[in-house]
Structure formats: structure tokens, C-alpha cells
Amino acid sequence: MNSLPRMILAVMIFLVSARAGAGLQQGLDAHRSGDFPAALKEFIPLAAKGNAIAQLNLGVMNEQGQGVPRNYPRAVFRYRQAAVQGNALAQFKLGVMYLRGQGVPQDYKSAAAWFRKASERGSPLAQFNLGVMYVKGQGVPQDDKESASWFNKSADQGNALAQFNLATMYIQGRGVRQDYTLALEWHLKAAEQNNPLAQFELGVMYTNGEGTAVDLVQAYKWFSLAEGARGEDGARNKKLLEEKMTAKEIDAARTLVRDWRQEHK
């Protein structure tokens, strides 16, 4: 007989938890579809009960003015609620607010501290930002080795900007041993994600034979893909290459460009 009340209590807790989960999903679905009033209706009571995901989403809505007037201090309040519970995205968001001075006085040390917390929980965005702060010495001592380490962690998770920055550090030998082969590998990873900066650098590397044999067809391909972002630089480099290439090589390069764009639609 003594076990019956405990069983009933367990069932009640399960039902409450299930309802909370359903409300959260309804809020997320409403937010995703742009029905902000419906999202607020679900998120606000959940946030009051300590739900970190609801708190995070309310922070986003306050930051972006979704269903409510834009309110940076309120966004900071909500992000902090979720961040102290260990939510990595909220920790990253709070770091960004400190970095930009939105809703709080600009504070690089606090930004770096929150980026570190999120980074240690595996956030590639926070790892990238922390790497940038170590490059610049913002809120942390300037340290190229630390920067390269955090860029590497972020790059391993597929962050194209981190891949580009890490490749650049390998080219310059900043924080890592100079290694053009590794630089080429990381630029290729970023370029395949349509990062125009990496695509342009690949054009340079294939032209000069850095980390690879000279390959003007590949160089032409990557300069062509970067041209939209690098404008005159890409066009000028293509023109210089055309003076060194045969018509057959130019046709082959243009085919590679068309194929790449088709594959990456």
C-alpha cells in the first residue's frame, strides 16, 4: 500500500513533463513558422519554470524584435537565464552581446569568458569567436597558439570561416608550424562550402604551386568561383592566367566551374 502514492506521483510527474515537452515543441514550431504570438504563449510560462530552451528562444525574440519590441537588455536577461544552466547556444549568444555592447556595456573579458564556456561545450561558433579574440588580444592575452587551437576545434566541426583562418595561419606560420600542404587542405574544405576567400586563396596557391604542383586549370576554376566576391581581383587574375593557358586548358577549367556550380546548387 505504501508504494501506491509514489506510483501515482511518478505518473503525475511524467504527465507534467510530457505536457511541458509538448508545449515547448508547439512553441518551437510556431516560432519556426513565424507565428510569434503563439510562440510567446508557449515559451513565457515554460521560461518561468526554468526551461532553458524557452529562455533561449525568448532571448532571440527579444534580440530580433519578433512578436515583441526589440529589447537588448531583456534579451541579455533571457540569455543569461539559459546560459547559467549550461546551454551552449545561450552562452554563445550572451558572449556576442558583451562583444557588441548590446544590452550590456561592451566587455571583452566577459565576452571571452562566455565564449570559453560555450566552446568547452563544443560550440563551433564560440570556438571560432574565441580564436578571433586570441588573435586580436581582446579580453584575453594575444596568443596565436591558442587562436590556432580554437580555430582547429571549430574547423573540425565544419566551420568554414575557422577553416579559412586556420589555413591562413598555416600559410603564415602563426601559432603553428608553416605548412602549405595543410593550408591547402583547409582552404579546400572551406572552398567546398563556397567560402569565396578560401576559393581565391586556392587560386593563388595553385598558380604558385604552394602545397601542391602548379595547376593553372585548378587556379582558373577557383578564381572564377571567387570572382563574385573578389570582383576585380578575381577577374584580373583570371585574365593573367588566360595569357599563360592554352584554349584547351581554358575550356577544361570552365567545364570544372560549371560542374562545381551544378553540384553545389
Side-chain angles (χ1 to χ4, degrees):
M1 294 294 293
N2 290 338
S3 63
L4 184 59
R6 287 196 295 272
M7 184 180 297
I8 293 173
L9 179 61
V11 171
M12 289 176 64
I13 291 173
F14 173 77
L15 291 175
V16 170
S17 177
R19 283 197 295 271
L24 178 62
Q25 189 58 55
Q26 289 173 1
L28 293 171
D29 290 343
H31 186 260
R32 194 175 298 112
S33 67
D35 187 352
F36 300 135
L40 289 169
K41 182 179 178 182
E42 300 296 339
F43 288 150
I44 289 173
L46 288 171
K49 295 176 182 177
N51 186 292
I53 297 176
Q55 292 164 346
L56 167 65
N57 279 276
L58 285 175
V60 171
M61 296 180 77
N62 277 282
E63 181 185 356
Q64 298 183 5
Q66 296 174 334
V68 292
R70 178 170 287 154
N71 188 325
Y72 290 141
R74 192 66 180 170
V76 168
F77 170 74
R78 291 301 191 183
Y79 288 148
R80 194 183 305 278
Q81 283 184 313
V84 297
Q85 296 190 66
N87 185 288
L89 183 52
Q91 291 169 341
F92 166 74
K93 288 280 195 179
L94 188 54
V96 170
M97 301 300 276
Y98 274 109
L99 182 65
R100 295 175 177 170
Q102 293 178 327
V104 288
Q106 189 175 53
D107 185 337
Y108 291 141
K109 286 186 178 180
S110 292
W114 283 111
F115 287 148
R116 186 178 301 278
K117 289 179 185 293
S119 294
E120 290 170 350
R121 288 183 172 271
S123 167
L125 296 174
Q127 290 165 349
F128 172 77
N129 278 15
L130 191 56
V132 171
M133 297 193 81
Y134 270 109
V135 167
K136 296 180 176 181
Q138 292 180 325
V140 292
Q142 200 286 327
D143 189 327
D144 287 340
K145 287 186 178 180
E146 275 292 309
S147 176
S149 175
W150 287 112
F151 284 149
N152 205 330
K153 288 179 172 64
S154 182
D156 279 339
Q157 296 192 68
N159 185 299
L161 286 174
Q163 291 167 347
F164 169 78
N165 280 12
L166 184 59
T168 300
M169 297 191 84
Y170 273 114
I171 289 173
Q172 298 174 351
R174 289 186 59 182
V176 292
R177 174 178 52 85
Q178 188 177 54
D179 189 325
Y180 286 107
T181 300
L182 283 176
L184 184 81
E185 290 178 9
W186 284 115
H187 273 323
L188 280 168
K189 289 178 185 292
E192 284 296 330
Q193 296 190 67
N194 205 24
N195 181 294
L197 298 174
Q199 290 168 343
F200 185 89
E201 289 301 319
L202 282 175
V204 173
M205 296 185 79
Y206 277 111
T207 299
N208 297 336
E210 297 170 339
T212 183
V214 171
D215 189 331
L216 300 187
V217 172
Q218 284 292 327
Y220 190 99
K221 165 192 167 181
W222 290 114
F223 280 137
S224 296
L225 291 169
E227 191 173 357
R230 293 301 300 260
E232 292 182 4
D233 289 337
R236 186 184 305 113
N237 285 4
K238 275 177 57 180
K239 186 174 181 180
L240 290 173
L241 285 179
E242 287 173 354
E243 295 173 0
K244 303 176 182 180
M245 297 170 70
T246 66
K248 186 176 180 179
E249 287 174 328
I250 293 172
D251 286 342
R254 288 173 176 169
T255 297
L256 289 178
V257 172
R258 286 194 299 270
D259 289 346
W260 193 93
R261 286 175 173 156
Q262 184 65 32
E263 291 172 6
H264 292 77
K265 278 186 177 180

